[in-house]
Amino acid sequence: MKSLFTTIKKAAPAAAFTLALAGGAVLQGCSSGPGEGSATAAGVASDAAQAVYVAPGKHDEYYSFLSGGFNGQMSVYGLPSGRLLKIIPVFTQHGENGYGYNEESKAMLNTSHGFVPWDDLHHPKLSRTNGMTDGRWLFANGNNTPRVARVDLTTFETVEIMEIPNSAGNHCSPYPTDNNEYVIAGTRFSVPLDMKGGTADVSMDEYKDKFRGSISFIKVDQEKGDMELDFQILVPGFDYDLANGGKGPSSDWVFFTTYNTERSGTLKELGASQNDRDYLAAVNWKLAAKYAAEGKAKEMPAYYYHNKMDKDTHIAKSTIKKTVRYLLPEDCPGMMYLIPAPKSPHGIDVDPSGEHMVVSGKLAATIPVFSFSKMQEAIKNKSFDGEINGIPVFKYESVLKAEVPEPGLGPLHTEFDGKGNAYTSMFVSSEIVKWKLSDFTVVDRMPVYYSVGHLMIPGGDTHTPDGKYLVAMNKITKDRYLPTGPELAHSAQLIDISGEKMRMLLDFPTVAEPHYAQAIKAEKVAPNSVKFYDLAKNKHPHAVKKESDASVTREGNVVRVKMTAIRSHMTPDNIEGVQVGDTVLFHVTNLEQDWDVPHGFAVMGANTAETLIMPGATQTLRWVPKKAGVFPFYCTDFCSALHQEMQGYIRVSPKGSPVPISFSTGKKKPAA
Ligand code: K7E
Ligand code: CUA
């Protein structure tokens, strides 16, 4: 594989380089015939099996959270085993537990564009205390219909989703500051803002004049985690790609890579590649917050959704927000600067010391490393090269610390091991490259299969990385697994980085396309994991806490069934008096007070097929019967030896039929 790299490098530079980018997959293809691909035993550490073996009944050392990309979810894997522990639906409906299907959770997916149950999730980010992951929450971005979500790590459930106004393509998002003061979200696509929170109806010819981007500062309640959009900065109409928070000396700052500083509105693959340099934007978020607090922020009308899951009722509620505050860089001296960076950069990563800002420019031949202390000097000395929209642009050399020479092809993202090393993913040459922060020299390379995007080291983006493992997340799997037709799983690869040389340990398939991921020591999360919901504290308005309170009532053409489920029956299990065209709401309360005893509920013909109710919780399935007859319902989760018996019937009569509402379990009660 090493020889492959040398071959590409010899053949590549300059002209062939663009070709290599466009045809990345092709390159990988010839580099790895089935033989080489499947026989990479050569590249695998001899004791790899032992290194990833977690004996049956034993737990993994880390939780890792991999984004699902276009699948809109996150999946939780144990490391080092690569065991899939859970899929957390965020911006997507989830057939496994009814998220986004049952009546309680639907509102989580409301937006100003209506109900949007499928989005593109790229970046999970763990909450922080003193610059270290604290295991409380996990934030994630909705890329397409701009949203930021928060997952509660006591329940591994999405509890909050906030839409972002004045944004289009919420990609450089969500980046928490060292103490979760803010979660910061930048727009990828600039758009013509109508100054009412949306986009204006203008000709694309007006791109250069009318299009703008925005950076949103979401305040996070330190105790509860609740989010609130504090203010935005309206920034020049570039594309804002990725972000990273400073650390230590730079912890008041957040950095954004930009491309298309040419502000081309069409054929961006050419139009956005004209300038040799784009920018790394540096924003002093503390100063921005101060400006906003001191009255520099203006207000504009807006219209965006903020959805929260109520802790007591387990019902999601949407609130519509009608204003947003914004700052303009030209009004706020010292808040924002631009650092020239090689053409169309992608990742920006700040090392654990907070001094080095590493820009991975996918088209660049080197990896530039900028210096925070030099940046401070340059501010003092005003080493500027003009300005854009009132934002000073630094001279490249005044902020540059070093360039990592010949790192590989197509650098995308960098993480750190806390031992003085950086690791950069190379999309085109399909490898992880390890280099030293002390002298910026490459010290090791590990081929990965194939076309790696993000990489992740537990805590590798924090003050204190845990430099034991690295996970490479690959775009192309090809011959690595048994073929499954044209559609293949993406893959992750686990690499041991504890020693001098990287060692390949494990391949495991992922759920859809992982972009970024986060990992944390299990001991920071596992002890807080909720086992079941306390039935006594269930405040769902239609919960019933004992079987004798179960009921069926008619309110116009709505029939409300308040049902209980406990091993191994539902109450009631015989229902009559429903008519064709009624809306039947099954509010099912799981009476169990024991860990890991969910009950499912499904009724024949319901078009959101079923829901899954955790112990102590209430969930609602809506059913509009279209035909008369008798319809069975049943528990869909094999909960006991008599699970198959956990079933009932509901009778549906024609519209206007005289059959009265009645219900029973066992003995039939007289009609009400
Ligand atoms: Cu590089 Cu969306 Cu973070 Cu994917 S992004 S790889
Ligand atoms: Cu309850 Cu099966």
Side-chain angles (χ1 to χ4, degrees):
M1 271 305 158
K2 189 148 187 193
S3 60
L4 153 72
F5 175 70
T6 348
T7 328
I8 295 176
K9 232 177 31 181
K10 277 192 197 126
F17 188 72
T18 322
L19 223 143
L21 268 178
V26 179
L27 248 174
Q28 306 330 324
C30 37
S31 70
S32 56
E36 204 175 342
S38 48
T40 35
V44 176
S46 57
D47 59 346
Q50 212 176 337
V52 302
Y53 183 68
V54 177
K58 294 278 185 247
H59 294 172
D60 278 289
E61 187 181 352
Y62 295 91
Y63 284 104
S64 67
F65 303 92
L66 274 63
S67 65
F70 49 73
N71 197 33
Q73 104 299 336
M74 291 190 275
S75 33
V76 187
Y77 287 86
L79 295 181
S81 72
R83 292 168 174 171
L84 175 62
L85 305 177
K86 185 180 165 70
I87 294 172
I88 307 173
V90 183
F91 301 111
T92 182
Q93 288 172 304
H94 194 45
E96 190 174 357
N97 59 15
Y99 174 87
Y101 288 110
N102 60 51
E103 297 303 303
E104 283 72 14
S105 58
K106 270 184 188 164
M108 291 303 287
L109 301 171
N110 285 341
T111 74
S112 63
H113 304 269
F115 181 68
V116 181
W118 193 359
D119 211 312
D120 183 19
L121 187 159
H122 283 216
H123 304 123
K125 278 277 180 175
L126 287 159
S127 58
R128 283 138 199 250
T129 304
N130 299 325
M132 284 170 68
T133 55
D134 59 20
R136 296 199 288 167
W137 311 301
L138 184 59
F139 300 96
N141 66 323
N143 205 359
N144 181 43
T145 302
R147 289 175 273 183
V148 170
R150 182 171 58 92
V151 168
D152 183 331
L153 288 180
T154 64
T155 58
F156 287 66
E157 284 174 0
T158 304
V159 292
E160 191 173 4
I161 293 182
M162 183 193 274
E163 197 179 357
I164 312 289
N166 293 324
S167 175
N170 173 44
H171 191 253
C172 35
S173 165
Y175 290 85
T177 55
D178 273 0
N179 285 293
N180 297 326
E181 292 98 337
Y182 285 103
V183 161
I184 298 167
T187 193
R188 173 155 154 224
F189 310 117
S190 278
V191 282
L193 302 179
D194 65 1
M195 299 309 276
K196 289 184 223 149
T199 64
D201 171 21
V202 306
S203 158
M204 251 58 79
D205 297 339
E206 299 185 79
Y207 194 101
K208 284 202 168 71
D209 301 326
K210 299 256 169 85
F211 285 47
R212 288 206 95 155
S214 70
I215 298 171
S216 301
F217 292 76
I218 301 166
K219 207 172 212 155
V220 179
D221 183 286
Q222 302 294 309
E223 284 292 300
K224 296 192 212 128
D226 292 334
M227 302 187 289
E228 185 204 326
L229 180 52
D230 192 14
F231 64 93
Q232 300 186 309
I233 302 178
L234 302 189
V235 288
F238 311 151
D239 286 37
Y240 294 79
D241 204 8
L242 280 155
N244 208 265
K247 296 168 185 88
S250 57
S251 58
D252 292 354
W253 293 77
V254 60
F255 303 92
F256 300 84
T257 50
T258 70
Y259 63 101
N260 194 28
T261 54
E262 297 85 347
R263 306 192 213 192
S264 160
T266 180
L267 202 66
K268 291 200 183 188
E269 66 173 303
L270 283 179
S273 304
Q274 298 304 306
N275 295 350
D276 273 343
R277 299 231 165 108
D278 290 296
Y279 302 109
L280 177 67
V283 175
N284 184 328
W285 65 263
K286 249 203 191 142
L287 186 58
K290 191 160 168 262
Y291 277 129
E294 286 172 356
K296 283 267 181 181
K298 297 176 191 133
E299 197 173 272
M300 74 165 99
Y303 187 85
Y304 63 98
Y305 273 68
H306 186 185
N307 312 320
K308 269 194 222 180
M309 183 62 79
D310 184 279
K311 252 196 151 94
D312 302 315
T313 60
H314 268 112
I315 299 176
K317 238 203 208 133
S318 299
T319 313
I320 295 167
K321 298 286 176 72
K322 300 238 167 104
T323 58
V324 64
R325 301 194 304 155
Y326 67 97
L327 294 171
L328 296 172
E330 47 269 46
D331 300 341
C332 302
M335 179 178 75
M336 186 168 176
Y337 297 91
L338 296 172
I339 302 170
K343 196 183 265 209
S344 303
H346 189 55
I348 155 70
D349 298 283
V350 181
D351 83 322
S353 74
E355 164 63 10
H356 300 111
M357 294 99 79
V358 178
V359 171
S360 306
K362 53 203 192 268
L363 303 175
T366 61
I367 299 174
V369 180
F370 296 100
S371 153
F372 182 72
S373 49
K374 283 185 87 173
M375 182 181 118
Q376 295 305 98
E377 279 295 302
I379 293 174
K380 227 186 278 159
N381 303 334
K382 300 203 162 42
S383 318
F384 303 138
D385 213 354
E387 55 170 55
I388 294 177
N389 289 39
I391 308 167
V393 180
F394 291 116
K395 295 200 173 91
Y396 182 67
E397 290 73 20
S398 69
V399 189
L400 185 75
K401 173 92 172 236
E403 287 176 341
V404 180
E406 304 202 336
L409 298 181
L412 289 189
H413 297 283
T414 301
E415 292 241 311
F416 308 90
D417 65 2
K419 296 179 278 189
N421 302 302
Y423 300 76
T424 302
S425 55
M426 299 290 165
F427 178 79
V428 177
S429 53
S430 284
E431 57 184 340
I432 303 295
V433 171
K434 175 179 176 179
W435 50 276
K436 276 192 158 120
L437 284 158
S438 53
D439 61 6
F440 309 99
T441 55
V442 171
V443 290
D444 194 21
R445 297 175 183 282
M446 167 64 71
V448 286
Y449 304 89
Y450 308 95
S451 301
V452 58
H454 272 277
L455 46 64
M456 180 274 290
I457 293 170
D461 60 336
T462 69
H463 263 225
T464 326
D466 205 344
K468 191 168 173 183
Y469 298 113
L470 181 151
V471 177
M473 285 160 283
N474 308 313
K475 304 294 180 195
I476 294 169
T477 332
K478 282 200 169 182
D479 51 16
R480 297 295 288 181
Y481 303 124
L482 287 172
T484 52
E487 187 182 353
L488 302 171
H490 287 76
S491 96
Q493 292 189 290
L494 184 72
I495 297 167
D496 174 0
I497 56 164
S498 61
E500 199 124 302
K501 293 269 158 207
M502 291 181 270
R503 301 183 326 141
M504 180 59 73
L505 298 178
L506 182 72
D507 275 23
F508 60 95
T510 62
V511 181
E513 181 186 359
H515 287 262
Y516 192 44
Q518 292 265 271
I520 186 169
K521 274 260 163 115
E523 68 206 28
K524 285 199 194 171
V525 174
N528 307 322
S529 200
V530 167
K531 295 194 165 64
F532 55 85
Y533 297 105
D534 185 347
L535 186 63
K537 290 192 183 143
N538 178 339
K539 298 226 172 74
H540 191 292
H542 304 297
V544 278
K545 303 200 179 170
K546 47 187 200 297
E547 293 184 354
S548 54
D549 290 342
S551 66
V552 180
T553 48
R554 174 177 286 283
E555 302 159 16
N557 61 359
V558 173
V559 176
R560 222 177 257 293
V561 180
K562 297 187 184 181
M563 181 182 276
T564 61
I566 194 161
R567 281 163 289 179
S568 297
H569 57 274
M570 281 132 168
T571 306
D573 68 2
N574 275 211
I575 301 168
E576 296 191 18
V578 170
Q579 299 180 5
V580 172
D582 281 344
T583 295
V584 185
L585 297 170
F586 294 96
H587 304 291
V588 186
T589 302
N590 181 344
L591 297 181
E592 310 279 356
Q593 289 289 271
D594 200 355
W595 197 14
D596 201 15
V597 195
H599 292 290
F601 180 84
V603 60
M604 191 166 102
N607 49 16
T608 59
E610 57 174 294
T611 190
L612 188 72
I613 311 118
M614 294 304 129
T618 304
Q619 287 198 345
T620 302
L621 186 124
R622 172 190 294 264
W623 180 54
V624 182
K626 296 182 183 69
K627 309 178 198 175
V630 169
F631 298 80
F633 54 82
Y634 70 105
C635 169
T636 50
D637 186 315
F638 207 109
C639 50
S640 74
L642 292 170
H643 152 82
Q644 290 297 80
E645 283 72 14
M646 199 165 174
Q647 57 174 277
Y649 294 100
I650 183 164
R651 174 181 171 191
V652 178
S653 305
K655 205 165 185 65
S657 141
V659 179
I661 291 278
S662 71
F663 58 97
S664 60
T665 311
K667 248 193 317 173
K668 194 162 178 144
K669 277 187 205 155

